[in-house]
Amino acid sequence: MKTAILNKGKETKYLNGYPLIDDDDVYAHDHLKEGDLFSLVNDEQTYIATAYVGRQHKGLGWVLSYDENEVINTQFFEKLFEIAIQERAYFYNIEGTNAFRIFNGEGDGVGGLTIDNYNGHFLIQWYSKGIYKYRYQILNALKNTLEYKSVFEKMRFKDAQIAGGFVDGEAPEFPIIIEENFIFYNVDLNDGPMTGIFLDQKEVRKKLRDHFAEDRYLLNVFSYTGAFSVVSAEKAKVTTSVDLANRSRTLTEENFGLNAIDPKTQYIFVMDTFDYFNYARRHDLLYDTIVIDPPSFARNKKKTFSVLKDYDKLILGALEVLSPNGTLLLCTNNSTFSLKAFKKMIKDTLNNAEVDFELSEVMGLPKDFKTHPHYKPSKYLKAIFVNIQ
């Protein structure tokens, strides 16, 4: 096995369980190639951990084990999968939900690898060339430990030689229908980078439906396939979904239809969010709840959008069409935008706008998206309900 030597004084955080090997912490690592296993040692050659090379998040790779004698093979992954499934027994036994994450990267012991269960259809996502080198062992381990109908894969790293797609089992006809908190959604595991729903928002959607939708006019911007709108529609007076992508209209209408909601009773706009705010303001439209869940970065013909730079503009635009005593649901999945910084941005923006407000609910990832206690970016999701008074 190859060796990587830590620069002097850098060993403490790894001894404390930090899972991502930072490039700058390792002395002369040019000999390490994607997928290589290596022993991480200090400047006195004392063993600290076993890791693999998988360049991701400005890191060289991820820690796999703190046991110098542990063999990284199919049985290693089987053991991790068995533990992951035991910890998610709740999701296998509840009614009304059949889609959830069964393995969540560094939270479950292998950074760069996630596996989702969509009603028995599994989706593996590979986040580096390095982890993809272990594909054979991981697929075998999955087959040996879990029952599934089919397995699909997506490549989340640059320069992937294949696009992913069907791997094993019996390939279904897409879309398949999944259930989450007794609401139905269409899912396609073989259509580009996304599937039709973000499973990490399941608890946020439930909170929205149960506490912030009833008898309200609800606006959902960056709506994608309309999940926030669909979950709210039975309780809300009416929902309005806004997304720039042309296909969002059809996908949203189909999700409404799955739940016996006539799409014609709801509003759907294919439009830039900022343009819609202007449209709503010109037409004196007001909303009691506004959901803002933008991508970290987006570009259209007119402009670019960055969560880190431009989120405050979204909040200010929403305030102009928010009813008195209304609620903003503000979300981001940007791992570099810490909860502390996100809260500060929200508070500064609202204070500068001279409005009274209360952060009524602060939510993160659901339990199936297991996080790593020593790696803050694993807690990437932030969702904050803000009551404007």
Side-chain angles (χ1 to χ4, degrees):
M1 187 184 298
K2 295 182 178 180
T3 298
I5 303 172
L6 287 168
N7 293 318
K8 191 174 181 62
K10 294 294 185 180
E11 64 271 15
T12 303
K13 69 180 182 182
Y14 300 105
L15 289 169
N16 289 334
Y18 192 78
L20 182 67
I21 312 298
D22 288 334
D23 261 324
D24 294 340
D25 290 349
V26 177
Y27 174 77
H29 51 72
D30 291 345
H31 63 296
L32 297 174
K33 308 301 180 187
E34 285 286 323
D36 282 351
L37 281 178
F38 63 92
S39 292
L40 187 69
V41 301
N42 65 13
D43 60 320
E44 296 179 350
Q45 296 290 320
T46 302
Y47 172 87
I48 294 174
T50 300
Y52 81 93
V53 179
R55 289 178 170 83
Q56 187 184 349
H57 302 317
K58 298 181 180 179
L60 172 65
W62 296 93
V63 170
L64 293 176
S65 175
Y66 295 94
D67 180 355
E68 189 172 5
N69 298 314
E70 181 136 46
V71 179
I72 309 302
N73 55 14
T74 298
Q75 289 70 39
F76 169 81
F77 292 108
E78 286 177 359
K79 181 175 66 176
L80 292 182
F81 291 162
E82 288 169 356
I83 294 170
I85 292 305
Q86 290 170 9
E87 292 180 341
R88 290 163 175 82
Y90 168 81
F91 292 95
Y92 277 98
N93 292 291
I94 59 170
E95 293 183 0
T97 295
N98 59 23
F100 51 92
R101 178 151 291 185
I102 57 179
F103 196 87
N104 193 42
E106 65 276 4
D108 284 299
V110 183
L113 172 72
T114 66
I115 307 173
D116 293 315
N117 174 14
Y118 294 87
N119 192 21
H121 300 278
F122 287 7
L123 175 64
I124 303 175
Q125 298 184 87
W126 313 95
Y127 284 85
S128 70
K129 291 180 180 179
I131 192 60
Y132 190 72
K133 294 290 181 71
Y134 296 88
R135 182 176 184 268
Y136 177 79
Q137 294 98 316
I138 289 169
L139 290 177
N140 277 341
L142 201 60
K143 196 165 190 174
N144 293 341
T145 54
L146 296 170
E147 294 183 2
Y148 51 76
K149 300 172 186 175
S150 70
V151 177
F152 285 76
E153 63 184 357
K154 291 185 186 294
M155 311 302 158
R156 296 297 194 181
F157 55 90
K158 294 180 180 179
D159 304 321
Q161 298 301 306
I162 61 173
F166 176 70
V167 175
D168 191 28
E170 186 173 338
E173 289 189 15
F174 289 118
I176 58 173
I177 299 172
I178 62 102
E179 187 177 11
E180 178 194 278
N181 294 316
F182 299 97
I183 302 294
F184 300 99
Y185 302 96
N186 278 326
V187 165
D188 190 337
L189 306 183
N190 203 27
D191 181 26
M194 296 188 288
T195 66
I197 193 166
F198 297 111
L199 297 180
D200 54 3
Q201 290 274 27
K202 64 171 70 66
E203 290 182 359
V204 180
R205 283 188 283 270
K206 185 176 186 298
K207 179 71 70 172
L208 175 68
R209 176 190 67 190
D210 294 348
H211 297 281
F212 298 94
E214 190 159 4
D215 293 328
R216 297 192 180 199
Y217 292 98
L218 183 138
L219 172 62
N220 176 20
V221 296
F222 303 99
S223 59
Y224 183 32
T225 60
F228 281 115
S229 303
V230 173
V231 77
S232 304
E234 286 192 357
K235 290 193 173 185
K237 288 181 178 177
V238 70
T239 68
T240 300
S241 304
V242 179
D243 197 286
L244 187 60
N246 286 322
R247 63 189 307 223
S248 65
R249 177 187 294 277
T250 299
L251 294 172
T252 301
E253 289 174 344
E254 290 173 349
N255 277 336
F256 277 126
L258 275 181
N259 293 278
I261 299 167
D262 183 353
K264 294 179 181 177
T265 64
Q266 312 297 313
Y267 295 102
I268 303 172
F269 290 83
V270 177
M271 203 168 183
D272 172 80
T273 292
F274 291 102
D275 290 343
Y276 185 79
F277 284 155
N278 292 332
Y279 170 88
R281 192 176 67 251
R282 290 198 308 271
H283 290 81
D284 297 321
L285 301 177
L286 291 176
Y287 299 93
D288 305 298
T289 298
I290 300 178
V291 180
I292 303 177
D293 185 17
S296 293
F297 182 83
R299 176 185 287 116
N300 61 34
K301 294 178 181 179
K302 296 181 180 178
K303 54 182 171 290
T304 59
F305 171 84
S306 165
V307 157
L308 293 172
K309 296 179 180 179
D310 301 316
Y311 208 118
D312 59 333
K313 300 180 183 69
L314 287 173
I315 294 173
L316 294 174
L319 287 177
E320 294 187 342
V321 294
L322 185 69
S323 297
N325 299 312
T327 300
L328 301 177
L329 169 52
L330 306 175
C331 308
T332 180
N333 65 358
N334 189 318
S335 62
T336 64
F337 208 163
S338 70
L339 177 59
K340 182 178 180 180
F342 190 50
K343 281 183 176 180
K344 183 179 186 303
M345 180 276 299
I346 293 169
K347 291 176 180 178
D348 288 348
T349 303
L350 295 175
N351 283 327
N352 290 336
E354 298 183 342
V355 297
D356 294 325
F357 64 92
E358 174 194 13
L359 306 189
S360 65
E361 297 280 350
V362 179
M363 301 182 69
L365 291 165
K367 290 182 179 179
D368 51 322
F369 281 71
K370 185 179 177 182
T371 60
H372 194 290
H374 303 296
Y375 185 62
K376 288 183 179 180
S378 71
K379 300 177 182 179
Y380 63 85
L381 180 66
K382 282 76 61 177
I384 301 179
F385 290 87
V386 185
N387 291 330
I388 308 298
Q389 296 155 358

